[in-house]
Amino acid sequence: MECIILNELIDYDGSQISSLWAYNLADVQADSIIAFRGACDVKIEHMIDLEDKKQGDIIFSTDMLHFIIEHFDSTDLKLVYARQRLFTAIVKEILSSRLSEIERRGDDLFINGNKLTVSIASTSAVSQKIHFGINVVHDYYGSLDEIGIKGDEIGILMNAIANVYFNEINDIEKDLRKSRPLDVI
Amino acid sequence: MECIILNELIDYDGSQISSLWAYNLADVQADSIIAFRGACDVKIEHMIDLEDKKQGDIIFSTDMLHFIIEHFDSTDLKLVYARQRLFTAIVKEILSSRLSEIERRGDDLFINGNKLTVSIASTSAVSQKIHFGINVVHDYYGSLDEIGIKGDEIGILMNAIANVYFNEINDIEKDLRKSRPLDVI
Amino acid sequence: MECIILNELIDYDGSQISSLWAYNLADVQADSIIAFRGACDVKIEHMIDLEDKKQGDIIFSTDMLHFIIEHFDSTDLKLVYARQRLFTAIVKEILSSRLSEIERRGDDLFINGNKLTVSIASTSAVSQKIHFGINVVHDYYGSLDEIGIKGDEIGILMNAIANVYFNEINDIEKDLRKSRPLDVI
Amino acid sequence: MECIILNELIDYDGSQISSLWAYNLADVQADSIIAFRGACDVKIEHMIDLEDKKQGDIIFSTDMLHFIIEHFDSTDLKLVYARQRLFTAIVKEILSSRLSEIERRGDDLFINGNKLTVSIASTSAVSQKIHFGINVVHDYYGSLDEIGIKGDEIGILMNAIANVYFNEINDIEKDLRKSRPLDVI
Amino acid sequence: MECIILNELIDYDGSQISSLWAYNLADVQADSIIAFRGACDVKIEHMIDLEDKKQGDIIFSTDMLHFIIEHFDSTDLKLVYARQRLFTAIVKEILSSRLSEIERRGDDLFINGNKLTVSIASTSAVSQKIHFGINVVHDYYGSLDEIGIKGDEIGILMNAIANVYFNEINDIEKDLRKSRPLDVI
Amino acid sequence: MECIILNELIDYDGSQISSLWAYNLADVQADSIIAFRGACDVKIEHMIDLEDKKQGDIIFSTDMLHFIIEHFDSTDLKLVYARQRLFTAIVKEILSSRLSEIERRGDDLFINGNKLTVSIASTSAVSQKIHFGINVVHDYYGSLDEIGIKGDEIGILMNAIANVYFNEINDIEKDLRKSRPLDVI
């Protein structure tokens, strides 16, 4: 797995959730988590969550941290959704050191009842992907700014989150290689 | 999925990690999480983690909360390990409302640097299972007693953890049924 | 799994075989069987069976019972085809109480040598689906009318078929959760 | 797939449900259905269905038709259970030409409310297997004798059932190779 | 599996890598290897390898042997890539009887440092496919002509390669049906 | 993946084909190929190939190169058999630089009609494994000695084979991460 932190700003428009975006962008030929900062404005044709699409939801933010995860080891929907929830829990764990009142509801985080994040997960015939976005600032929704995370801390946070997921996956891969099969009653 | 809270004490000796234990115990014919309280003394022949087995580790506690999870929807090792990590994160989230200094390292929780929990996950040809145990009291390791969770709160906590996992899995199953497949670059 | 009987007429044009149609129609976030009545006129761009497409087959009926089944638990072609055959056998079992001369050839039913039904099954990256249609009346092919099933019996039959499949799947899910793995010679 | 009819009598004691029994018996290196006639007396250590085991069920018959199916193309429990139900429906279809009052409840057949058959399905790490037995004669349960199937008809029936399943599987394999993937809403 | 040798010339333009091409062409309803001879000129919209696409690679040859392999038994990327490498090794083995200096680098063959072949593998939701092309003559790249394989030998070679892969797959399918599962330490 | 060359002699008795042997031996928590030299004397209880078991085959050699491969990424029998054939082809490619008359028949290599190698592959619920052994010297069967590979060349060969497989697998993993899914006719 590779962990890549992009320094340039990239606006997330939903095309980045496509399979093989990482290869196209940076010749990545491994499972990967790629983190970057930029606005968020998901076009209707890139919406993966049909609930958003039905409701004509605007997924819009002027400044977000984005995490794009791609795994090629399986196209099982259940696995990518379990990983998405685990990623959400990881983000909560990291943010909780700054603010203990963060609440996780499924794949969403809330501060003071305000939605702080957006996320989606799905599969194609070749890979599984997760997008997770965290508002840096926002007029209406929750934001890192509201927790007091700003300036250089933003980049440090982006780095920390990407690396913790990277390490968690590597650690899982090692753990599952030392357990014998179950007995049966 | 079924969520079952057992009122009687059951000592965990490692046989409960076997596939189909839930059916044998209580005719459960569904994926399940079963919670109970009791001592923990894992016999060497029931050890799933070869690291414990090699080191002749004693997995022993006089009083623990036990959670036994069984899923029949897949025998993929990666999925059961992702679920195990997610479960561990859930337990941390619940305990954090009492003590914010709980640390998660993979599938273990620590308080003040002391290990609070034990856990293992694996598969057989028919199901995947997770055991997760939390010390209620312990002379040497971390315990709920140390966080100040005692008396009736123990049962309430046991209930809460089992139900949150139960709801999380149901919520995932609903979420993955409204996302369209990914596009490809 | 959910079993949904629609009272309004819906014409089947082949778009209903698409993954996530149930969610789009009725916010269904479960595996499902949806039954409705309406004409059948499958557009060439919605034909899944390339044999029909090659032969420029007209799949047309003015009045049919339609069953749309969607499972998200696997995208294995073999499984959805086994389920399609099982569904066909179920329909035969139910109709046989009215007319014993119904013949099943694969996923088709015949009465007096006339084709009574149409069916297709396939998968996308996220789900597996089956469409099964039964002529209520037909000038050329076999029909329920020909067996003497008409009036209120049509709705009763639609209900019965959907519910028997629903129960069969639930029963299978329970059965597979009480069998231990095979030994090996 | 191979379809093999054994002429010698073989008593079914439950060991025949083990993976690779067909190879051991007759060097079969293909998916297979093997039919034979003989008594049935399943030893407790060969019981796959834990419900039978718990209830100390005696699975005993002096004269049965036995069908042993083995597939190596998947070890998915859901697939072998769908195939088991399909096989049961096939047996019902064939017997119904003799007696229309045969009832199927899941993987069991009944005549006049009496159980005519026994069946089990499961998987090992290398294959999936089904056993299906039909009483030829029986003092207490239903039997072919009761339907009036006796003498040479027994062998003819054994042949017919095995061949219909063999053809059904071959037909499914052909069908799934001409369907394009689903669209998505 | 079917092994089909086409006598007419067919130019490979990349559309033949699509799933179900064999059914469309020749009503093939089995896994298959189809061999033919013709030019090669892959249109950009049919390029599967994003590396070629990014580099605007021209995949062009006036005369090639083409092998199109399709398997419906799995949509696992790892399996189709292992089969692609095995196929490449098979071609090398056959050609080595004529020229020992053939070098295999992954899925490419080289003679005297010149690339002799092109290949790609991928999956859709219903099947996995491999294309493998060998230059018969070429001004710039390596070719069979350069090894001294020409005239009637071209057709014999085409036949030999297709049949050896066909036999290898059949042999694998037989081999995996006589091995018991592994023990565990 | 890890590539490990053991310097000490280890006699292969069949226990090394068990899942998790690598972890038990050397705390390996990755997919791995482990190479070592030693005698070969497979006990009947460790025989995986039932053909050998039935025939009471003696798998015996006083001096062999052994390769033990373990992958945890899948328990698909088809994949481990494709990898076994690919490994066999790799060994042939390497040896062919010394002797061009090496013949591969499935997973066996022959020199001058004499069997040079033994091999087996299978899966457990947690991993897939391959054993491949090459006679260094042998009175009756083919051997490296017969090809003229002896002394220090033995160790060099052992290294080369293990590293080429290691690189091949890594290369496949990279290749499959740059191919888009197939179109469909």
PDB file of all heavy atoms in Angstrom, chain B residues 19-20 23-27 29 72-73 75 125-126 180-181, chain D residues 48-52 54 75 77-78 122-125 184-185:
ATOM      1  N   SER B  19     -16.981 -22.274  15.301  1.00  0.00           N
ATOM      2  CA  SER B  19     -18.146 -22.041  14.451  1.00  0.00           C
ATOM      3  C   SER B  19     -19.341 -22.813  14.995  1.00  0.00           C
ATOM      4  O   SER B  19     -19.196 -23.933  15.491  1.00  0.00           O
ATOM      5  CB  SER B  19     -17.864 -22.516  13.021  1.00  0.00           C
ATOM      6  OG  SER B  19     -17.081 -21.576  12.344  1.00  0.00           O
ATOM      7  N   LEU B  20     -20.522 -22.212  14.898  1.00  0.00           N
ATOM      8  CA  LEU B  20     -21.785 -22.867  15.249  1.00  0.00           C
ATOM      9  C   LEU B  20     -22.006 -23.006  16.740  1.00  0.00           C
ATOM     10  O   LEU B  20     -22.974 -23.643  17.172  1.00  0.00           O
ATOM     11  CB  LEU B  20     -21.893 -24.253  14.565  1.00  0.00           C
ATOM     12  CG  LEU B  20     -21.946 -24.183  13.041  1.00  0.00           C
ATOM     13  CD1 LEU B  20     -21.647 -25.546  12.434  1.00  0.00           C
ATOM     14  CD2 LEU B  20     -23.308 -23.700  12.572  1.00  0.00           C
ATOM     15  N   TYR B  23     -25.458 -21.680  17.514  1.00  0.00           N
ATOM     16  CA  TYR B  23     -26.541 -22.621  17.218  1.00  0.00           C
ATOM     17  C   TYR B  23     -26.625 -23.684  18.303  1.00  0.00           C
ATOM     18  O   TYR B  23     -27.713 -24.040  18.774  1.00  0.00           O
ATOM     19  CB  TYR B  23     -26.346 -23.289  15.850  1.00  0.00           C
ATOM     20  CG  TYR B  23     -27.420 -24.315  15.628  1.00  0.00           C
ATOM     21  CD1 TYR B  23     -28.712 -23.918  15.298  1.00  0.00           C
ATOM     22  CD2 TYR B  23     -27.180 -25.672  15.818  1.00  0.00           C
ATOM     23  CE1 TYR B  23     -29.735 -24.844  15.155  1.00  0.00           C
ATOM     24  CE2 TYR B  23     -28.195 -26.599  15.686  1.00  0.00           C
ATOM     25  CZ  TYR B  23     -29.466 -26.181  15.348  1.00  0.00           C
ATOM     26  OH  TYR B  23     -30.487 -27.091  15.219  1.00  0.00           O
ATOM     27  N   ASN B  24     -25.480 -24.177  18.702  1.00  0.00           N
ATOM     28  CA  ASN B  24     -25.440 -25.238  19.697  1.00  0.00           C
ATOM     29  C   ASN B  24     -25.980 -24.776  21.041  1.00  0.00           C
ATOM     30  O   ASN B  24     -26.690 -25.505  21.730  1.00  0.00           O
ATOM     31  CB  ASN B  24     -23.993 -25.707  19.857  1.00  0.00           C
ATOM     32  CG  ASN B  24     -23.905 -27.175  20.116  1.00  0.00           C
ATOM     33  OD1 ASN B  24     -24.561 -27.955  19.417  1.00  0.00           O
ATOM     34  ND2 ASN B  24     -23.132 -27.568  21.118  1.00  0.00           N
ATOM     35  N   LEU B  25     -25.645 -23.530  21.379  1.00  0.00           N
ATOM     36  CA  LEU B  25     -26.058 -22.969  22.666  1.00  0.00           C
ATOM     37  C   LEU B  25     -27.546 -22.642  22.693  1.00  0.00           C
ATOM     38  O   LEU B  25     -28.251 -22.953  23.653  1.00  0.00           O
ATOM     39  CB  LEU B  25     -25.273 -21.677  22.922  1.00  0.00           C
ATOM     40  CG  LEU B  25     -25.599 -20.927  24.213  1.00  0.00           C
ATOM     41  CD1 LEU B  25     -24.847 -21.564  25.372  1.00  0.00           C
ATOM     42  CD2 LEU B  25     -25.284 -19.440  24.083  1.00  0.00           C
ATOM     43  N   ALA B  26     -27.990 -21.971  21.615  1.00  0.00           N
ATOM     44  CA  ALA B  26     -29.317 -21.362  21.706  1.00  0.00           C
ATOM     45  C   ALA B  26     -30.106 -21.432  20.413  1.00  0.00           C
ATOM     46  O   ALA B  26     -30.996 -20.623  20.183  1.00  0.00           O
ATOM     47  CB  ALA B  26     -29.156 -19.900  22.144  1.00  0.00           C
ATOM     48  N   ASP B  27     -29.757 -22.410  19.569  1.00  0.00           N
ATOM     49  CA  ASP B  27     -30.487 -22.594  18.307  1.00  0.00           C
ATOM     50  C   ASP B  27     -30.531 -21.338  17.441  1.00  0.00           C
ATOM     51  O   ASP B  27     -31.478 -21.131  16.672  1.00  0.00           O
ATOM     52  CB  ASP B  27     -31.919 -23.076  18.577  1.00  0.00           C
ATOM     53  CG  ASP B  27     -31.933 -24.501  19.125  1.00  0.00           C
ATOM     54  OD1 ASP B  27     -31.019 -25.272  18.803  1.00  0.00           O
ATOM     55  OD2 ASP B  27     -32.865 -24.843  19.869  1.00  0.00           O
ATOM     56  N   GLN B  29     -30.046 -19.274  14.375  1.00  0.00           N
ATOM     57  CA  GLN B  29     -29.842 -19.542  12.948  1.00  0.00           C
ATOM     58  C   GLN B  29     -29.776 -18.230  12.178  1.00  0.00           C
ATOM     59  O   GLN B  29     -30.466 -18.034  11.177  1.00  0.00           O
ATOM     60  CB  GLN B  29     -30.974 -20.432  12.428  1.00  0.00           C
ATOM     61  CG  GLN B  29     -30.844 -21.868  12.914  1.00  0.00           C
ATOM     62  CD  GLN B  29     -31.950 -22.758  12.379  1.00  0.00           C
ATOM     63  OE1 GLN B  29     -32.948 -22.996  13.045  1.00  0.00           O
ATOM     64  NE2 GLN B  29     -31.779 -23.245  11.164  1.00  0.00           N
ATOM     65  N   PHE B  72     -22.064 -15.517   8.811  1.00  0.00           N
ATOM     66  CA  PHE B  72     -22.040 -16.599   7.810  1.00  0.00           C
ATOM     67  C   PHE B  72     -22.057 -16.041   6.387  1.00  0.00           C
ATOM     68  O   PHE B  72     -22.155 -16.805   5.426  1.00  0.00           O
ATOM     69  CB  PHE B  72     -23.254 -17.516   7.978  1.00  0.00           C
ATOM     70  CG  PHE B  72     -23.202 -18.416   9.176  1.00  0.00           C
ATOM     71  CD1 PHE B  72     -23.586 -17.951  10.424  1.00  0.00           C
ATOM     72  CD2 PHE B  72     -22.771 -19.729   9.078  1.00  0.00           C
ATOM     73  CE1 PHE B  72     -23.550 -18.784  11.532  1.00  0.00           C
ATOM     74  CE2 PHE B  72     -22.734 -20.577  10.179  1.00  0.00           C
ATOM     75  CZ  PHE B  72     -23.126 -20.102  11.409  1.00  0.00           C
ATOM     76  N   ASP B  73     -21.992 -14.731   6.219  1.00  0.00           N
ATOM     77  CA  ASP B  73     -22.158 -14.166   4.883  1.00  0.00           C
ATOM     78  C   ASP B  73     -20.883 -14.221   4.049  1.00  0.00           C
ATOM     79  O   ASP B  73     -20.915 -13.913   2.855  1.00  0.00           O
ATOM     80  CB  ASP B  73     -22.675 -12.726   4.967  1.00  0.00           C
ATOM     81  CG  ASP B  73     -21.790 -11.826   5.817  1.00  0.00           C
ATOM     82  OD1 ASP B  73     -20.832 -12.322   6.430  1.00  0.00           O
ATOM     83  OD2 ASP B  73     -22.050 -10.616   5.846  1.00  0.00           O
ATOM     84  N   THR B  75     -16.504 -15.987   4.178  1.00  0.00           N
ATOM     85  CA  THR B  75     -15.409 -16.562   4.958  1.00  0.00           C
ATOM     86  C   THR B  75     -14.102 -15.867   4.608  1.00  0.00           C
ATOM     87  O   THR B  75     -13.024 -16.439   4.747  1.00  0.00           O
ATOM     88  CB  THR B  75     -15.290 -18.082   4.719  1.00  0.00           C
ATOM     89  OG1 THR B  75     -15.140 -18.291   3.311  1.00  0.00           O
ATOM     90  CG2 THR B  75     -16.515 -18.826   5.210  1.00  0.00           C
ATOM     91  N   ALA B 125     -14.547 -23.117   7.376  1.00  0.00           N
ATOM     92  CA  ALA B 125     -15.138 -23.242   6.038  1.00  0.00           C
ATOM     93  C   ALA B 125     -16.568 -22.724   5.994  1.00  0.00           C
ATOM     94  O   ALA B 125     -17.096 -22.463   4.920  1.00  0.00           O
ATOM     95  CB  ALA B 125     -15.094 -24.694   5.566  1.00  0.00           C
ATOM     96  N   VAL B 126     -17.218 -22.544   7.151  1.00  0.00           N
ATOM     97  CA  VAL B 126     -18.618 -22.105   7.125  1.00  0.00           C
ATOM     98  C   VAL B 126     -18.913 -20.732   7.724  1.00  0.00           C
ATOM     99  O   VAL B 126     -19.926 -20.128   7.413  1.00  0.00           O
ATOM    100  CB  VAL B 126     -19.579 -23.145   7.768  1.00  0.00           C
ATOM    101  CG1 VAL B 126     -19.561 -24.438   6.973  1.00  0.00           C
ATOM    102  CG2 VAL B 126     -19.258 -23.389   9.227  1.00  0.00           C
ATOM    103  N   ARG B 180     -24.382   3.196  -6.411  1.00  0.00           N
ATOM    104  CA  ARG B 180     -24.135   2.626  -7.730  1.00  0.00           C
ATOM    105  C   ARG B 180     -22.644   2.303  -7.886  1.00  0.00           C
ATOM    106  O   ARG B 180     -21.808   2.810  -7.139  1.00  0.00           O
ATOM    107  CB  ARG B 180     -24.627   3.577  -8.821  1.00  0.00           C
ATOM    108  CG  ARG B 180     -23.877   4.877  -8.937  1.00  0.00           C
ATOM    109  CD  ARG B 180     -24.313   5.628 -10.219  1.00  0.00           C
ATOM    110  NE  ARG B 180     -23.581   6.863 -10.381  1.00  0.00           N
ATOM    111  CZ  ARG B 180     -22.342   6.944 -10.859  1.00  0.00           C
ATOM    112  NH1 ARG B 180     -21.694   5.851 -11.208  1.00  0.00           N
ATOM    113  NH2 ARG B 180     -21.737   8.111 -10.975  1.00  0.00           N
ATOM    114  N   PRO B 181     -22.308   1.428  -8.852  1.00  0.00           N
ATOM    115  CA  PRO B 181     -20.901   1.069  -9.050  1.00  0.00           C
ATOM    116  C   PRO B 181     -20.076   2.288  -9.465  1.00  0.00           C
ATOM    117  O   PRO B 181     -20.607   3.280  -9.962  1.00  0.00           O
ATOM    118  CB  PRO B 181     -20.937   0.052 -10.198  1.00  0.00           C
ATOM    119  CG  PRO B 181     -22.335  -0.432 -10.278  1.00  0.00           C
ATOM    120  CD  PRO B 181     -23.184   0.696  -9.793  1.00  0.00           C
TER     121      PRO B 181
ATOM    122  N   ILE D  48     -23.834 -33.916   9.661  1.00  0.00           N
ATOM    123  CA  ILE D  48     -23.450 -32.563   9.279  1.00  0.00           C
ATOM    124  C   ILE D  48     -24.450 -31.560   9.841  1.00  0.00           C
ATOM    125  O   ILE D  48     -24.102 -30.461  10.230  1.00  0.00           O
ATOM    126  CB  ILE D  48     -23.423 -32.467   7.734  1.00  0.00           C
ATOM    127  CG1 ILE D  48     -22.332 -33.371   7.150  1.00  0.00           C
ATOM    128  CG2 ILE D  48     -23.236 -31.022   7.265  1.00  0.00           C
ATOM    129  CD1 ILE D  48     -20.930 -32.972   7.522  1.00  0.00           C
ATOM    130  N   ASP D  49     -25.692 -31.968   9.912  1.00  0.00           N
ATOM    131  CA  ASP D  49     -26.750 -31.089  10.410  1.00  0.00           C
ATOM    132  C   ASP D  49     -26.754 -31.160  11.935  1.00  0.00           C
ATOM    133  O   ASP D  49     -27.065 -32.185  12.519  1.00  0.00           O
ATOM    134  CB  ASP D  49     -28.099 -31.568   9.843  1.00  0.00           C
ATOM    135  CG  ASP D  49     -29.227 -30.610  10.184  1.00  0.00           C
ATOM    136  OD1 ASP D  49     -29.150 -29.927  11.225  1.00  0.00           O
ATOM    137  OD2 ASP D  49     -30.201 -30.559   9.423  1.00  0.00           O
ATOM    138  N   LEU D  50     -26.405 -30.034  12.554  1.00  0.00           N
ATOM    139  CA  LEU D  50     -26.301 -30.066  14.017  1.00  0.00           C
ATOM    140  C   LEU D  50     -27.656 -30.253  14.682  1.00  0.00           C
ATOM    141  O   LEU D  50     -27.727 -30.671  15.829  1.00  0.00           O
ATOM    142  CB  LEU D  50     -25.636 -28.789  14.520  1.00  0.00           C
ATOM    143  CG  LEU D  50     -24.182 -28.589  14.101  1.00  0.00           C
ATOM    144  CD1 LEU D  50     -23.562 -27.466  14.912  1.00  0.00           C
ATOM    145  CD2 LEU D  50     -23.364 -29.865  14.306  1.00  0.00           C
ATOM    146  N   GLU D  51     -28.713 -29.946  13.964  1.00  0.00           N
ATOM    147  CA  GLU D  51     -30.047 -30.163  14.533  1.00  0.00           C
ATOM    148  C   GLU D  51     -30.277 -31.664  14.746  1.00  0.00           C
ATOM    149  O   GLU D  51     -30.731 -32.082  15.808  1.00  0.00           O
ATOM    150  CB  GLU D  51     -31.112 -29.597  13.581  1.00  0.00           C
ATOM    151  CG  GLU D  51     -32.488 -29.524  14.216  1.00  0.00           C
ATOM    152  CD  GLU D  51     -33.503 -28.846  13.287  1.00  0.00           C
ATOM    153  OE1 GLU D  51     -33.094 -28.362  12.195  1.00  0.00           O
ATOM    154  OE2 GLU D  51     -34.689 -28.817  13.637  1.00  0.00           O
ATOM    155  N   ASP D  52     -29.903 -32.458  13.747  1.00  0.00           N
ATOM    156  CA  ASP D  52     -30.011 -33.912  13.891  1.00  0.00           C
ATOM    157  C   ASP D  52     -29.153 -34.388  15.056  1.00  0.00           C
ATOM    158  O   ASP D  52     -29.558 -35.218  15.859  1.00  0.00           O
ATOM    159  CB  ASP D  52     -29.534 -34.621  12.613  1.00  0.00           C
ATOM    160  CG  ASP D  52     -30.405 -34.285  11.410  1.00  0.00           C
ATOM    161  OD1 ASP D  52     -31.579 -33.916  11.614  1.00  0.00           O
ATOM    162  OD2 ASP D  52     -29.911 -34.379  10.277  1.00  0.00           O
ATOM    163  N   LYS D  54     -28.010 -32.729  17.688  1.00  0.00           N
ATOM    164  CA  LYS D  54     -28.538 -32.316  18.999  1.00  0.00           C
ATOM    165  C   LYS D  54     -29.694 -33.202  19.434  1.00  0.00           C
ATOM    166  O   LYS D  54     -29.810 -33.565  20.592  1.00  0.00           O
ATOM    167  CB  LYS D  54     -29.081 -30.885  18.906  1.00  0.00           C
ATOM    168  CG  LYS D  54     -28.048 -29.824  19.127  1.00  0.00           C
ATOM    169  CD  LYS D  54     -28.661 -28.453  18.881  1.00  0.00           C
ATOM    170  CE  LYS D  54     -29.001 -27.746  20.178  1.00  0.00           C
ATOM    171  NZ  LYS D  54     -29.164 -26.281  19.949  1.00  0.00           N
ATOM    172  N   THR D  75     -16.838 -22.715  -3.045  1.00  0.00           N
ATOM    173  CA  THR D  75     -17.108 -23.238  -1.703  1.00  0.00           C
ATOM    174  C   THR D  75     -18.093 -22.318  -0.982  1.00  0.00           C
ATOM    175  O   THR D  75     -18.116 -22.271   0.248  1.00  0.00           O
ATOM    176  CB  THR D  75     -15.804 -23.382  -0.885  1.00  0.00           C
ATOM    177  OG1 THR D  75     -15.142 -22.116  -0.860  1.00  0.00           O
ATOM    178  CG2 THR D  75     -14.885 -24.413  -1.501  1.00  0.00           C
ATOM    179  N   LEU D  77     -21.386 -21.353   0.595  1.00  0.00           N
ATOM    180  CA  LEU D  77     -22.518 -22.056   1.223  1.00  0.00           C
ATOM    181  C   LEU D  77     -23.842 -21.711   0.550  1.00  0.00           C
ATOM    182  O   LEU D  77     -24.718 -22.558   0.396  1.00  0.00           O
ATOM    183  CB  LEU D  77     -22.634 -21.669   2.702  1.00  0.00           C
ATOM    184  CG  LEU D  77     -21.900 -22.510   3.738  1.00  0.00           C
ATOM    185  CD1 LEU D  77     -22.212 -21.960   5.117  1.00  0.00           C
ATOM    186  CD2 LEU D  77     -22.323 -23.977   3.659  1.00  0.00           C
ATOM    187  N   LYS D  78     -24.004 -20.442   0.159  1.00  0.00           N
ATOM    188  CA  LYS D  78     -25.270 -20.031  -0.439  1.00  0.00           C
ATOM    189  C   LYS D  78     -25.521 -20.761  -1.753  1.00  0.00           C
ATOM    190  O   LYS D  78     -26.658 -21.105  -2.076  1.00  0.00           O
ATOM    191  CB  LYS D  78     -25.275 -18.523  -0.703  1.00  0.00           C
ATOM    192  CG  LYS D  78     -25.319 -17.717   0.570  1.00  0.00           C
ATOM    193  CD  LYS D  78     -25.388 -16.227   0.293  1.00  0.00           C
ATOM    194  CE  LYS D  78     -25.226 -15.481   1.610  1.00  0.00           C
ATOM    195  NZ  LYS D  78     -26.320 -14.518   1.836  1.00  0.00           N
ATOM    196  N   SER D 122     -23.249 -29.125   2.512  1.00  0.00           N
ATOM    197  CA  SER D 122     -22.247 -28.303   3.202  1.00  0.00           C
ATOM    198  C   SER D 122     -21.005 -28.158   2.315  1.00  0.00           C
ATOM    199  O   SER D 122     -20.999 -28.577   1.151  1.00  0.00           O
ATOM    200  CB  SER D 122     -21.877 -28.882   4.570  1.00  0.00           C
ATOM    201  OG  SER D 122     -21.140 -27.928   5.322  1.00  0.00           O
ATOM    202  N   THR D 123     -19.977 -27.537   2.880  1.00  0.00           N
ATOM    203  CA  THR D 123     -18.735 -27.308   2.136  1.00  0.00           C
ATOM    204  C   THR D 123     -17.531 -27.683   3.000  1.00  0.00           C
ATOM    205  O   THR D 123     -17.616 -27.704   4.226  1.00  0.00           O
ATOM    206  CB  THR D 123     -18.571 -25.816   1.769  1.00  0.00           C
ATOM    207  OG1 THR D 123     -18.566 -25.056   2.984  1.00  0.00           O
ATOM    208  CG2 THR D 123     -19.680 -25.324   0.874  1.00  0.00           C
ATOM    209  N   SER D 124     -16.443 -27.994   2.341  1.00  0.00           N
ATOM    210  CA  SER D 124     -15.133 -28.047   3.001  1.00  0.00           C
ATOM    211  C   SER D 124     -14.280 -26.953   2.352  1.00  0.00           C
ATOM    212  O   SER D 124     -14.797 -26.164   1.564  1.00  0.00           O
ATOM    213  CB  SER D 124     -14.476 -29.407   2.788  1.00  0.00           C
ATOM    214  OG  SER D 124     -14.054 -29.527   1.432  1.00  0.00           O
ATOM    215  N   ALA D 125     -13.000 -26.919   2.648  1.00  0.00           N
ATOM    216  CA  ALA D 125     -12.132 -25.924   2.004  1.00  0.00           C
ATOM    217  C   ALA D 125     -11.945 -26.196   0.516  1.00  0.00           C
ATOM    218  O   ALA D 125     -11.526 -25.318  -0.224  1.00  0.00           O
ATOM    219  CB  ALA D 125     -10.765 -25.866   2.689  1.00  0.00           C
ATOM    220  N   VAL D 184     -27.246  -0.036 -14.516  1.00  0.00           N
ATOM    221  CA  VAL D 184     -27.527   0.465 -13.178  1.00  0.00           C
ATOM    222  C   VAL D 184     -28.359   1.731 -13.334  1.00  0.00           C
ATOM    223  O   VAL D 184     -28.155   2.508 -14.256  1.00  0.00           O
ATOM    224  CB  VAL D 184     -26.215   0.779 -12.429  1.00  0.00           C
ATOM    225  CG1 VAL D 184     -26.520   1.328 -11.040  1.00  0.00           C
ATOM    226  CG2 VAL D 184     -25.358  -0.468 -12.345  1.00  0.00           C
ATOM    227  N   ILE D 185     -29.343   1.849 -12.462  1.00  0.00           N
ATOM    228  CA  ILE D 185     -30.203   3.054 -12.492  1.00  0.00           C
ATOM    229  C   ILE D 185     -29.334   4.311 -12.369  1.00  0.00           C
ATOM    230  O   ILE D 185     -28.541   4.416 -11.466  1.00  0.00           O
ATOM    231  CB  ILE D 185     -31.228   3.012 -11.315  1.00  0.00           C
ATOM    232  CG1 ILE D 185     -32.287   1.965 -11.592  1.00  0.00           C
ATOM    233  CG2 ILE D 185     -31.856   4.393 -11.059  1.00  0.00           C
ATOM    234  CD1 ILE D 185     -33.309   2.352 -12.629  1.00  0.00           C
TER     235      ILE D 185
END
